[in-house]
Amino acid sequence: MVVGKTLMDHLNNKDVFIMKKLSFALVTCSILVFTGCNTNGAKEAGQPKRPECIAPAKPGGGLDMTCKLIQAGLKETEVLNDPIRVTYMPGGVGAVAYNKIVSNDSANNEAVIAFSTGSLLNLAQGKFGNFTEKDVRWLSGVAVDYGLVAVHKDSPYQTLGDLIKDLQKDPKGISFGGAGSVGGQDWMQSAMLAKKAGINPSAMSFVALEGGGEVLTALLGQHVKVAVGNISEVSSNLEAGRIRVLAVFANERLQGKFSNLPTAKEQGYDIEWPVIRGFYMGPKVSDDAYQWWKTSFDKMMENKKFETVRNNQDLLPFALTGDQITAYVYKQTDQMRQLSAEYKLSK
């Protein structure tokens, strides 16, 4: 062995080539230190660069809550590491956002737009202009809420039957407070209840308020006698004992902390009003983008961590994506179109 020879002197050409490759790999790994020495940090086909959730309402309402649900859900389940921003586009319970997406932003692969059953009701009534439910790509339904009627804790009404009895005597004497205008979701729930009790809905006193928060404020201040809303909107006031729920518009009693709330059905009034929370995309988004979002929602909803996020918002399980949510929306909108015609609300 010759003293003074370096390691490189003992290597043949093949060994030198391998060493050079290893050195290059180490340098590359150093450069890519933030993503690791693998392809895990690479964007998948269709993955958005700046993911966005559009809430077609002012901050603080149900559609805002729907965006915040997936904002937290995608993060907690680690399905999406990039932060998803929430932007607001209020107007017409979704009409402004729907028109913009269909007409001016139809190929936006970055954005998902929140919708609820209230959005579908307005869509069915022709309040979204000339557009129908077939003008967007329905993506997912991620949770469900349920409608209800509630009264102040000091109200004399202990049951739905108590309320109906007085309503039948004097429909105008009992003020119902609800979000939106006549024909909207809260009005429709009130009207369905009235009709089941043999009362003409037009004879009722309905106070139209800006949103669920205003409805609760009016009830707590006893400016209205009855509030119409959703479970998720009243949960904190219910737990604090400030209000009493007379009936939930579900097919059967809800689970968990709401299991003690009576349904309208068990009290003799067969009314069901599920409030779906979900998302759609523009009609011309790429198939890769649509599939990426669909797969991401599927992964998120399969993860147990999402159950905790959903429960924290007092929402209940509901999980449909792709063709299944599309079929559901088409069926629901058609039923609401018939219901609206029955109440002479369609344009």
Side-chain angles (χ1 to χ4, degrees), residues 23-328:
S23 298
F24 177 76
L26 287 170
V27 171
T28 302
C29 283
S30 298
I31 294 171
L32 298 178
V33 66
F34 291 108
T35 59
C37 189
N38 53 44
T39 59
N40 289 342
K43 295 286 186 184
E44 300 172 16
Q47 184 174 349
K49 294 179 181 178
R50 293 191 68 208
E52 175 185 15
C53 183
I54 298 174
K58 295 179 181 179
L63 293 170
D64 181 19
M65 177 182 68
T66 306
C67 277
K68 297 288 177 59
L69 174 66
I70 64 158
Q71 186 182 50
L74 290 169
K75 179 182 178 182
E76 290 298 317
T77 58
E78 299 180 352
V79 171
L80 179 61
N81 292 322
D82 296 330
I84 180 168
R85 62 195 174 110
V86 177
T87 56
Y88 301 95
M89 199 178 295
V93 194
V96 171
Y98 203 88
N99 278 261
K100 181 181 184 300
I101 290 297
V102 176
S103 300
N104 303 320
D105 206 12
S106 59
N108 188 341
N109 295 329
E110 309 281 297
V112 295
I113 305 91
F115 78 91
S116 71
T117 299
S119 312
L120 300 184
L121 179 60
N122 276 12
L123 183 59
Q125 292 175 4
K127 294 180 180 178
F128 282 17
N130 295 322
F131 299 121
T132 74
E133 64 274 20
K134 297 184 179 179
D135 287 312
V136 299
R137 297 186 73 173
W138 299 99
L139 179 64
S140 69
V142 297
V144 64
D145 210 346
Y146 281 93
L148 56 76
V149 286
V151 294
H152 191 275
K153 66 180 179 63
D154 296 329
S155 170
Y157 305 129
Q158 299 295 321
T159 67
L160 184 60
D162 294 338
L163 171 63
I164 295 298
K165 192 179 296 182
D166 271 11
L167 192 61
Q168 289 171 331
K169 291 177 183 176
D170 183 15
K172 288 290 185 187
I174 301 175
S175 54
F176 282 71
S181 59
V182 170
Q185 178 170 259
D186 288 356
W187 181 90
M188 184 64 78
Q189 293 178 80
S190 306
M192 291 171 70
L193 180 62
K195 192 168 184 180
K196 290 288 184 181
I199 301 164
N200 186 339
S202 63
M204 294 175 62
S205 175
F206 183 82
V207 180
L209 297 163
E210 181 65 24
E214 284 195 14
V215 175
L216 266 297
T217 299
L219 182 65
L220 293 173
Q222 301 190 62
H223 304 300
V224 296
K225 291 186 176 180
V226 182
V228 184
N230 306 320
I231 282 288
S232 62
E233 295 172 336
V234 306
S235 179
S236 60
N237 284 292
L238 179 63
E239 290 176 1
R242 301 187 191 101
I243 66 171
R244 180 164 53 252
V245 172
L246 298 183
V248 176
F249 296 140
N251 188 47
E252 57 187 18
R253 288 209 177 195
L254 306 180
Q255 299 176 359
K257 64 181 180 180
F258 303 120
S259 60
N260 64 324
L261 301 179
T263 66
K265 187 173 184 178
E266 72 186 61
Q267 297 176 78
Y269 300 91
D270 191 2
I271 302 171
E272 186 177 357
W273 195 271
V275 183
I276 303 305
R277 306 286 181 188
F279 300 90
Y280 66 87
M281 297 185 76
K284 295 181 181 178
V285 298
S286 72
D287 289 339
D288 280 347
Y290 180 86
Q291 189 59 44
W292 184 90
W293 280 104
K294 178 192 177 302
T295 301
S296 295
F297 278 120
D298 284 333
K299 289 178 181 177
M300 177 187 75
M301 291 188 286
E302 288 169 1
N303 194 308
K304 283 290 184 182
K305 290 182 179 179
F306 178 68
E307 184 178 335
T308 301
V309 173
R310 188 188 60 226
N311 290 343
N312 287 341
Q313 290 201 13
D314 295 316
L315 294 169
L316 298 158
F318 183 90
L320 294 177
T321 59
D323 291 342
Q324 289 183 319
I325 189 61
T326 301
Y328 179 89

